[in-house]
Amino acid sequence: MPLGVYSLDARIQLARKARYSLDVQYYLIQDDRTGRLLMRNLRDAALRGVRVRLLVDDLYTVGGDPMFSGLAAFPNVEVRLFNPFCCARQSITSKYLASIADFGRLNHRMHNKLFIADGAMAVAGGRNIADEYFMRSASDNFVDMDALIVGAVVPDLAAIFDAYWNSPQAYPVGAILGESADRAQSRRDFDSLVDDGEQMMLLVLPPIDILGYGPIRDDLDEGRLGLVWGTAVAFADKPAKVMATSDEMARSMSVQMNVMDRVMAAKSEVFISSPYFIPGPMGVQEFADLRKRNVKVTILTNSLAANDEPLVHTGYARYRVELLSTGVDLYELSPTRIQHNKRLMLPGTSLGRLHAKTAVIDRSTVFIGSMNLDPRSASKNTELGILAECPQLAREVIRVINISKLQSSYRLRFAPDGQSLEWLAMDDEGDVVLTEEPDVTPFTRLQNMLLAPFVPEQQL
């Protein structure tokens, strides 16, 4: 599901059609029209008798505490916070300042994204729950990827959810925020929050998405899903990764190792989409080894201008020359070029940023998940992903990557001097060649250049 509005509608439809259970796990659920839309449908499912379990990481819950505690006040609903902060919940800064002695634990977060309906259908991938992940923000939107999943792998995903739900790191929301003295009033406040406002507007869906699929709501209504079939395995970091006392201990629990092992076993071709891409010396060597075996490697990541975490770009930029020297094809998404890519359906003049975390190996194996190829995914956050053996799915994911790569990105290459970099794109008038980071001001270039030597790579 590369199209944001289709992906959001899939979650809403599964919530509306659920009969028995909804298990929902996210790094971020924003108190905006998208977050409220989902929360309203979770409440409605609970009122029908569906058991609802909601697990959310506690980092970005600022401002959302009444929403989470309000949902928990309804029958058939449990809400838990993962790796919670103790107090001072007015802002992320105040949360950390009040818990500075516990920074080592709190610097580790649950980055998983998972939605399971009736233990039978699941949505997994890169999207959090907020306007910008579904092309609903007026200013900035993420180009992302999810998959709708059925079959034998869903019980494995359910087991992953249960492991997190039952872990010592997951706390009932009432234990952190305090139990409501008047649950009826909490429910009324929640109803007032989610039943009025823009979230009540119907989602407007185009007739088909980028890949030619129609809305999942139509398929579900007809009882006939258009699926591609393959063999898949689901895997996730252990919840205890957030309690790791060293990066080495955390990396030993990381799904990144599983994915890179599969990448390194490639025989002919690798496509990677990673918004935050910091390969490190070891990663550069691994990609170099692939190129020595004539494996073609194509990597799509964010440009400096597209990156919502500019300091992360400094970690990536350190390795561009080495990667290009090995023969890796590097593409950087442009936030302005993507505005002209009608297939992605960005609203108005909003900027686009890459957020999809996918890989395709030998045009047959596909990874879709929450994991970036960066140190934070390896040693700080917990991650979840799926590896599927399915050539048809591989073709579709490559097609989506190519749409961004060819129409919305710059290709990096060496300048004639063989050392400096150039950014190349194709326009109607011909080639566009730039000799500096595109779409950013000289001040931003200078700022990142000055900060780069002082940024600890393991924190990126």
Side-chain angles (χ1 to χ4, degrees):
M1 294 186 291
L3 198 60
V5 67
Y6 269 35
S7 182
L8 175 58
D9 185 62
R11 292 166 170 83
I12 300 306
Q13 296 306 317
L14 291 181
R16 290 176 178 173
K17 294 181 182 298
R19 297 181 180 179
Y20 309 108
S21 65
L22 289 169
D23 293 332
V24 182
Q25 178 183 15
Y26 283 100
Y27 174 57
L28 165 66
I29 299 180
Q30 192 80 305
D31 182 13
D32 59 12
R33 60 176 176 161
T34 297
R36 294 175 185 180
L37 175 63
L38 179 66
M39 297 291 274
R40 177 161 59 92
N41 280 277
L42 295 181
R43 176 207 60 191
D44 292 349
L47 292 175
R48 298 195 309 270
V50 175
R51 183 197 65 182
V52 175
R53 296 189 293 176
L54 173 63
L55 179 61
V56 62
D57 185 85
D58 196 35
L59 179 61
Y60 288 110
T61 51
V62 172
D65 287 350
M67 182 173 68
F68 296 115
S69 59
L71 181 64
F74 286 88
N76 302 317
V77 177
E78 290 183 82
V79 178
R80 295 184 181 178
L81 300 178
F82 192 85
N83 199 18
F85 291 77
C86 69
C87 46
R89 304 181 64 82
Q90 310 92 289
S91 69
I92 294 176
T93 301
S94 63
K95 279 183 173 184
Y96 274 113
L97 288 176
S99 307
I100 194 67
D102 211 10
F103 179 82
R105 171 180 68 87
L106 296 172
N107 191 36
H108 294 70
R109 307 312 316 172
M110 181 191 76
H111 199 234
N112 307 31
K113 291 98 173 171
L114 182 61
F115 188 106
I116 306 174
D118 288 343
M121 293 185 179
V123 176
R127 288 185 174 98
N128 294 297
I129 305 299
D131 287 346
E132 57 267 29
Y133 295 93
F134 301 97
M135 297 294 178
R136 307 182 84 205
S137 170
S139 57
D140 300 276
N141 286 282
F142 289 115
V143 177
D144 217 324
M145 179 80 76
D146 290 314
L148 175 73
I149 304 156
V150 305
V153 75
V154 177
D156 297 337
L157 290 167
I160 289 170
F161 177 90
D162 284 339
Y164 276 82
W165 182 259
N166 295 313
S167 71
Q169 291 77 35
Y171 287 72
V173 68
I176 304 302
L177 304 183
E179 295 291 347
S180 172
D182 188 343
R183 292 176 69 85
Q185 184 59 49
S186 293
R187 292 193 292 270
R188 287 192 293 271
D189 291 343
F190 180 88
D191 291 343
S192 177
L193 179 68
V194 304
D195 287 340
D196 296 311
E198 288 186 90
Q199 71 271 12
M200 296 296 292
M201 297 171 60
L202 291 175
L203 292 178
V204 178
L205 304 180
I208 59 172
D209 70 1
I210 294 171
L211 297 169
Y213 291 109
I216 285 173
R217 66 168 68 165
D218 295 344
D219 288 355
L220 291 174
D221 288 344
E222 295 173 5
R224 188 182 307 171
L225 282 172
L227 300 168
V228 295
W229 292 94
T231 303
V233 59
F235 48 86
D237 296 333
K238 296 178 181 178
K241 183 180 178 183
V242 299
M243 307 301 292
T245 55
S246 69
D247 287 347
E248 290 72 21
M249 182 188 299
R251 279 193 290 268
S252 70
M253 308 180 198
S254 176
V255 301
Q256 191 180 89
M257 306 306 293
N258 296 319
V259 176
M260 284 307 296
D261 286 347
R262 297 297 292 268
V263 169
M264 287 305 298
K267 295 179 172 59
S268 60
E269 194 171 25
V270 174
F271 289 83
I272 292 174
S273 169
S274 182
Y276 313 124
F277 175 66
I278 306 174
M282 183 179 297
V284 171
Q285 184 57 54
E286 289 175 334
F287 288 121
D289 291 344
L290 285 173
R291 292 298 301 129
K292 289 176 183 176
R293 293 193 282 111
N294 292 319
V295 175
K296 181 176 174 58
V297 179
T298 301
I299 296 171
L300 173 65
T301 189
N302 276 311
S303 65
L304 172 57
N307 205 315
D308 64 324
E309 300 286 352
L311 287 181
V312 173
H313 186 82
T314 66
Y316 153 68
R318 296 167 187 168
Y319 300 104
R320 287 187 298 201
V321 169
E322 292 179 81
L323 288 167
L324 286 176
S325 297
T326 67
V328 169
D329 287 334
L330 278 180
Y331 291 83
E332 295 182 0
L333 191 81
S334 162
T336 54
R337 290 182 60 79
I338 201 172
Q339 292 174 337
H340 306 294
N341 191 336
K342 302 303 181 185
R343 295 185 182 185
L344 299 175
M345 299 183 63
L346 265 73
T349 59
S350 71
L351 298 180
R353 307 180 189 277
L354 183 68
H355 198 259
K357 304 106 169 32
T358 60
V360 181
I361 303 161
D362 294 337
R363 296 183 177 262
S364 60
T365 303
V366 178
F367 168 80
I368 296 178
S370 68
M371 180 198 77
N372 298 293
L373 291 180
D374 64 359
R376 177 158 287 276
S377 288
S379 61
K380 296 294 186 293
N381 296 338
T382 71
E383 307 289 354
L384 179 150
I386 292 170
L387 272 171
E389 297 290 340
C390 180
Q392 185 176 348
L393 179 64
R395 288 194 296 271
E396 293 182 346
V397 174
I398 290 172
R399 183 180 172 192
V400 173
I401 291 175
N402 281 338
I403 287 171
S404 291
K405 183 188 82 171
L406 300 175
Q407 300 181 24
S408 306
S409 303
Y410 288 95
R411 181 180 182 181
L412 270 70
R413 70 181 186 186
F414 285 114
D417 63 12
Q419 296 179 334
S420 55
L421 299 180
E422 291 181 342
W423 286 257
L424 174 68
M426 290 288 292
D427 279 348
D428 293 338
E429 293 79 18
D431 290 352
V432 175
V433 179
L434 304 177
T435 57
E436 293 181 312
E437 302 271 4
D439 305 326
V440 294
T441 65
F443 174 77
T444 301
R445 296 189 194 102
L446 176 63
Q447 182 183 40
N448 262 40
M449 184 180 69
L450 294 176
L451 289 174
F454 304 102
V455 178
E457 190 166 297
Q458 288 304 311
Q459 295 298 323
L460 297 176

